[in-house]
Amino acid sequence: MVLLASSAIVAYILLLAPLTIALSVWDGVIGLDQRMALHRYASKAGLEHKSFSRPLDQSNNGNNIIERTLDAILTEIESKDNNIHGKQQYVEYWTRQEWRHIEAHSDVDEALAKMHDQNPSLLVDDELESKFSATYSDIHGFRFPSNGHVLYLQVGSEVKGPTCVFPSRSSGGDLLQSNEHQEKACAEGGNHQDNGDIKLVTVPAVSGRLLRFDGQDLHAVPRPHDLWMLPFVKGGAEYKPEEVWGRSVILFNVWPGEEDPPLNVSLDSNEGGEGEAHTNELCNAFSEWNEVNVVQNTQIEVPDTQESNQSVKVWLLGNERRRGYPMRTVNLLSPAHGGRESLRKALSEKSLVTELLLRQQ
């Protein structure tokens, strides 16, 4: 990798610009004490999906520390957007403490999707689209949340586990669709992809960071970080010790309050703190958050010897209907600028959020 001279670094920094897609990243969203308290609670809470109604009644102490913190975070975001401020929502959330390989998928109403798979004749697209006008996509046949989020609590010293988001793509099949298909899909509120390129945004896991993206977006967490470029993987992954291999996150989706919450997800269980003391400062004020700019891959210097027509194999989650594609993997081409090396560099970054353009073969 060619090192940038100091003058080039200055020019490089000046080129940083926010991404023109529905994706935001902030650092410094929650403080250290709160992150530790959330991690302790999440470690005991298990993997079950739960949900709660918001905005919360601040005089009611029946919500646990995760719910109170997520409500506070969303309130801060809403303080800058009058269109969503104070609207009723459902928040679905779950936690994970390990860096595991998560194949590419979009979050959906899981129970509704399972019901459709088991009894497709019972669910009619027109009826679902009428009942869930804000969240159901007749193109994909799934109900999607309004927004997805990842709140990073603790990240081990050897973790290279970025969240990889494919804006405006909702299935593996979408990665291979023509622009005409994407124009139809984007009529539901997404963003059009230019020139057939596949946008990929890599967001490294950083303690105290918050990622927010469109609820229909395909996303993944590869392990090893360069899995998509490996012919095979030898040996098993390490998960201990936590300070080396841990990746503690809270994942949460927002669903509109004017529709039903996700099917069969526990709602408003009012668990309280269950022995976990609530801190006075659930999250920092929005004015203290640091918005993270997204660096476009073309701004990064890479060796001239890198070939661009190298394959990138993206693993997909779920059955064929969920994948939107018969195979478990989709083969794409590495970025024209820098080839696999530029993608590998983005996936191994410790903090820098990067946008790359993969290509259809």
Side-chain angles (χ1 to χ4, degrees):
M1 184 63 60
V2 177
L3 297 177
L4 295 176
S6 58
S7 59
I9 293 174
V10 172
Y12 168 72
I13 292 174
L14 291 174
L15 285 171
L16 301 184
L19 199 64
T20 56
I21 55 176
L23 181 149
S24 299
V25 181
W26 297 276
D27 284 339
V29 173
I30 51 176
L32 176 60
D33 290 344
Q34 184 70 356
R35 295 202 306 269
M36 293 176 63
L38 287 166
H39 174 68
R40 287 193 297 269
Y41 185 85
S43 299
K44 301 174 184 177
L47 301 176
E48 178 188 0
H49 285 225
K50 300 177 182 179
S51 63
F52 67 95
S53 309
R54 68 170 303 276
L56 293 180
D57 181 355
Q58 298 303 314
S59 63
N60 181 5
N61 292 323
N63 296 89
N64 64 49
I65 189 174
I66 291 179
E67 295 172 353
R68 291 168 62 85
T69 301
L70 300 187
D71 178 67
I73 287 172
L74 291 169
T75 299
E76 291 298 323
I77 293 174
E78 291 171 357
S79 69
K80 301 302 178 182
D81 189 342
N82 291 330
N83 292 325
I84 59 176
H85 181 68
K87 287 189 176 181
Q88 184 183 355
Q89 297 170 327
Y90 299 107
V91 181
E92 174 192 15
Y93 68 93
W94 62 105
T95 69
R96 187 175 291 120
Q97 287 78 52
E98 298 172 329
W99 176 24
R100 293 189 176 275
H101 171 52
I102 307 298
E103 297 166 327
H105 67 286
S106 293
D107 292 339
V108 301
D109 187 326
E110 297 285 353
L112 186 65
K114 185 176 181 180
M115 182 185 298
H116 187 285
D117 289 337
Q118 294 174 341
N119 301 286
S121 61
L122 295 179
L123 300 173
V124 181
D125 276 349
D126 289 346
E127 294 179 0
L128 290 171
E129 191 173 13
S130 175
K131 183 176 182 181
F132 303 117
S133 59
T135 56
Y136 186 76
S137 167
D138 63 342
I139 296 173
H140 298 95
F142 292 100
R143 186 179 178 222
F144 299 98
S146 304
N147 290 99
H149 305 77
V150 183
L151 179 62
Y152 304 89
L153 303 179
Q154 292 185 187
V155 181
S157 58
E158 295 299 316
V159 171
K160 296 178 181 177
T163 303
C164 300
V165 183
F166 294 90
S168 302
R169 308 279 172 166
S170 300
S171 70
D174 281 358
L175 298 176
L176 301 176
Q177 293 289 350
S178 65
N179 281 342
E180 287 76 16
H181 171 92
Q182 288 304 82
E183 285 176 345
K184 183 179 179 183
C186 291
E188 299 182 357
N191 293 278
H192 180 53
Q193 302 287 321
D194 295 327
N195 304 321
D197 291 327
I198 309 299
K199 285 186 180 179
L200 168 65
V201 181
T202 60
V203 183
V206 175
S207 299
R209 170 170 285 182
L210 174 68
L211 163 64
R212 177 179 170 95
F213 54 93
D214 190 285
Q216 292 196 35
D217 286 350
L218 197 71
H219 54 282
V221 181
R223 182 172 188 183
H225 68 284
D226 57 353
L227 174 69
W228 296 343
M229 293 165 285
L230 298 179
F232 58 87
V233 178
K234 295 189 295 184
E238 295 183 74
Y239 299 104
K240 302 291 183 181
E242 184 178 85
E243 59 271 19
V244 177
W245 296 109
R247 185 181 184 274
S248 182
V249 295
I250 299 174
L251 306 112
F252 62 104
N253 294 326
V254 172
W255 299 83
E258 64 269 19
E259 296 183 356
D260 292 341
L263 187 65
N264 295 344
V265 176
S266 174
L267 176 66
D268 294 331
S269 56
N270 293 321
E271 298 169 337
E274 292 187 353
E276 183 70 70
H278 294 145
T279 62
N280 291 328
E281 189 176 89
L282 294 167
C283 73
N284 295 325
F286 190 84
S287 60
E288 298 175 12
W289 298 8
N290 299 313
E291 186 167 8
V292 180
N293 289 326
V294 181
V295 178
Q296 294 189 2
N297 150 256
T298 53
Q299 298 171 1
I300 299 175
E301 191 168 343
V302 293
D304 294 334
T305 56
Q306 287 300 314
E307 298 180 7
S308 60
N309 292 327
Q310 298 169 311
S311 65
V312 175
K313 183 171 64 177
V314 179
W315 287 84
L316 305 175
L317 179 72
N319 60 19
E320 183 174 342
R321 189 173 82 87
R322 181 75 169 269
R323 299 191 304 266
Y325 188 64
M327 308 299 290
R328 287 292 313 281
T329 60
V330 166
N331 290 316
L332 301 173
L333 292 178
S334 58
H337 177 79
R340 280 183 172 178
E341 184 58 34
S342 63
L343 177 56
R344 186 174 284 109
K345 184 179 188 301
L347 292 168
S348 64
E349 284 286 351
K350 282 292 187 180
S351 179
L352 199 68
V353 178
T354 309
E355 178 203 75
L356 306 101
L357 295 179
L358 303 181
R359 296 164 298 146
Q360 296 172 353
Q361 290 187 338

